[in-house]
Amino acid sequence: MTTAAPPAWSELVEDLAERGVLAQPWRAAFLAVPREVFIPEVIWRYVGDDLVPLRRGEEPAEWLARAYGPHYVVTQVDDGIPAGPQGQGQVPTSSASRPDIVAMMLAAGRLEPGMRVLEIGTGTGYTAALLAHYLGARNVTSIEVDQKLAAQARTALERAGYGEVTVVTGDGARGCPEAAPFDRVLSTVASPRVPYTWVAQTRPGGLVVTPWNSAYKPAGLLSLTVGTEGSATGGLVDTTISFMPLRDQRIPRPAVADVVREADIPERSDTDLHACDLCNDDAPFAIALSVPGCHWIYEPASGDDGRWCVWFLDPTTRSWARFDYQPDTQRWPVHQFGPRRLFDEVTTAYHRWCHAGQPPATQWRFTITPDGQRAEF
Ligand SMILES: C[S@@+](CC[C@H](N)C(=O)[O-])C[C@H]1O[C@@H](n2cnc3c(N)ncnc32)[C@H](O)[C@@H]1O
């Protein structure tokens, strides 16, 4: 069953266009592609921390409002096998992205009709349909790791009239060498390291646009221009958006108890650097890029003595540090344990960034070569 898009959708599209979020060439695509064809009959909504199914057959109005709403729609949980009690989901593993974020990604792609595009993370197939509407379906290849989702996307694309889009089932980190080169690689899955294959499969002068994420929390959208020497350079064009990660590059957020043991004997020191300076504004970007694999968790005060702490955790090496805030002092105790001295690493990165004049995250230059990824200011 397909119904006409509710008026709320045209209003949303016009609003995005007026706010300058939806570049003009994409307005027509947003109005033409029927989003509900791509949204599965069962979607997921949060009730507290749990994801519970919402069935179109049972709540058609609510389903439709979400299909054409301004938020992202969770379309798969726990890689397709709900892991919570009573069929509830725990982690969203596929979604139809927020319309304004899709618009932002498309604008960042600086696409023109006729360009050949590889999309990483087909999901519902909705973004692939928008691309097909504007570029021509034959110019769009999309790759999805989940076989069932790829099959559903193929069906939806067919139903919406974009059956000539090529949907490949496979690991997007490998790209799609058999269809390369592309003018653009657009990823709708985040990664802390941009796979070099995406650079290698893009023509010189082409763009790789991908969400970037990190253990130390910051996320954003990277736009990289591919050069003639086989490398790509660029930077963050947005520092707010956050996408789900590539399946094999997930960064599970550890709990303190996963890393810290009662028997650990930490080293004690003092600092005059307030932990808030390490966790706010653009400092976390500088730290995330220099201190890979380090998570931080704020633990609020349990009593009314004004004390709280921040944990720094690396589950891979089982290293941890704890900053203990107490009021009425300008020096605070730090405890560190494990092969890495995480607090030292974090403060070194912070001071280096301060020394450079605290450049905003959008000023960092990323370079991707066959040898790996570099980021510098
Ligand atoms: C945010 S959703 C994509 C939204 C999609 N572009 C749309 O329009 O609906 C991310 C998708 O990436 C897929 N994915 C995760 N890891 C992947 C990988 N290594 N290769 C290809 N797809 C992957 C997930 O299964 C999920 O469907």
Side-chain angles (χ1 to χ4, degrees):
M1 179 181 61
T2 308
T3 38
W9 180 250
S10 347
E11 280 165 29
L12 189 148
V13 171
E14 295 312 336
D15 181 53
L16 292 178
E18 268 165 39
R19 280 168 37 213
V21 181
L22 188 61
Q24 262 321 313
W26 294 104
R27 191 179 150 272
F30 268 62
L31 291 172
V33 176
R35 198 159 188 255
E36 67 178 291
V37 170
F38 295 89
I39 307 290
E41 298 289 307
V42 181
I43 58 178
W44 298 80
R45 67 177 151 202
Y46 274 103
V47 176
D49 285 342
D50 300 317
L51 283 154
V52 299
L54 190 169
R55 297 185 171 78
R56 182 177 197 177
E58 291 170 6
E59 294 179 74
E62 180 62 18
W63 185 95
L64 207 60
R66 284 170 188 255
Y68 285 109
H71 304 295
Y72 73 102
V73 181
V74 178
T75 52
Q76 187 201 57
V77 293
D78 307 324
D79 294 332
I81 303 171
Q86 287 130 30
Q88 291 172 356
Q90 291 186 327
V91 181
T93 47
S94 189
S95 64
S97 310
R98 245 171 52 193
D100 59 339
I101 288 184
V102 175
M104 187 197 292
M105 284 209 73
L106 294 171
R110 290 190 266 140
L111 292 142
E112 283 164 30
M115 281 185 170
R116 300 188 68 246
V117 173
L118 174 65
E119 183 201 20
I120 313 293
T122 316
T124 62
Y126 177 67
T127 306
L130 293 172
L131 289 165
H133 188 87
Y134 185 49
L135 306 176
R138 285 188 186 172
N139 290 321
V140 181
T141 302
S142 185
I143 181 159
E144 168 58 55
V145 74
D146 188 295
Q147 200 169 3
K148 197 167 163 202
L149 294 178
Q152 284 170 358
R154 276 187 209 106
T155 306
L157 284 160
E158 185 79 44
R159 277 182 61 204
Y162 305 106
E164 284 184 308
V165 170
T166 304
V167 177
V168 178
T169 307
D171 180 2
R174 289 188 52 251
C176 188
E178 57 278 21
F182 301 97
D183 298 294
R184 302 286 186 263
V185 173
L186 296 189
S187 175
T188 58
V189 237
S191 162
R193 294 176 305 281
V194 179
Y196 180 71
T197 45
W198 299 352
V199 175
Q201 292 172 26
T202 302
R203 283 182 212 287
L207 296 179
V208 174
V209 177
T210 178
W212 171 80
N213 67 353
S214 69
Y216 204 82
K217 281 197 175 159
L221 188 66
L222 261 182
S223 173
L224 304 155
T225 304
V226 176
T228 47
E229 310 294 317
S231 62
T233 52
L236 290 161
V237 290
D238 172 89
T239 55
T240 57
I241 67 159
S242 145
F243 268 76
M244 49 187 65
L246 283 168
R247 206 176 253 200
D248 66 353
Q249 290 199 27
R250 287 180 182 152
I251 314 176
R253 188 150 291 284
V256 173
D258 296 337
V259 183
V260 181
R261 307 267 188 283
E262 230 172 89
D264 292 347
I265 301 174
E267 203 176 86
R268 148 107 202 225
S269 55
D270 291 307
T271 182
D272 54 10
L273 187 57
H274 196 294
C276 286
D277 292 335
L278 304 171
C279 306
N280 287 325
D281 304 322
D282 276 0
F285 283 91
I287 297 167
L289 287 159
S290 306
V291 191
C294 178
H295 302 253
W296 64 267
I297 296 175
Y298 165 69
E299 193 175 296
S302 55
D304 53 11
D305 58 4
R307 291 169 186 243
W308 46 262
C309 74
V310 175
W311 292 93
F312 301 86
L313 307 168
D314 170 18
T316 309
T317 61
R318 211 172 77 68
S319 303
W320 60 263
R322 193 182 70 230
F323 168 96
D324 288 303
Y325 177 79
Q326 34 197 269
D328 307 326
T329 175
Q330 296 303 310
R331 280 194 82 74
W332 299 279
V334 171
H335 291 84
Q336 303 192 75
F337 175 84
R340 289 179 78 180
R341 288 290 177 266
L342 289 178
F343 194 79
D344 296 350
E345 287 187 39
V346 164
T347 50
T348 301
Y350 174 79
H351 286 308
R352 204 163 67 83
W353 174 70
C354 290
H355 197 67
Q358 302 193 340
T362 47
Q363 268 180 30
W364 284 75
R365 298 324 290 160
F366 285 70
T367 305
I368 320 296
T369 68
D371 300 328
Q373 174 173 311
R374 249 185 6 254
E376 52 214 346
F377 40 73

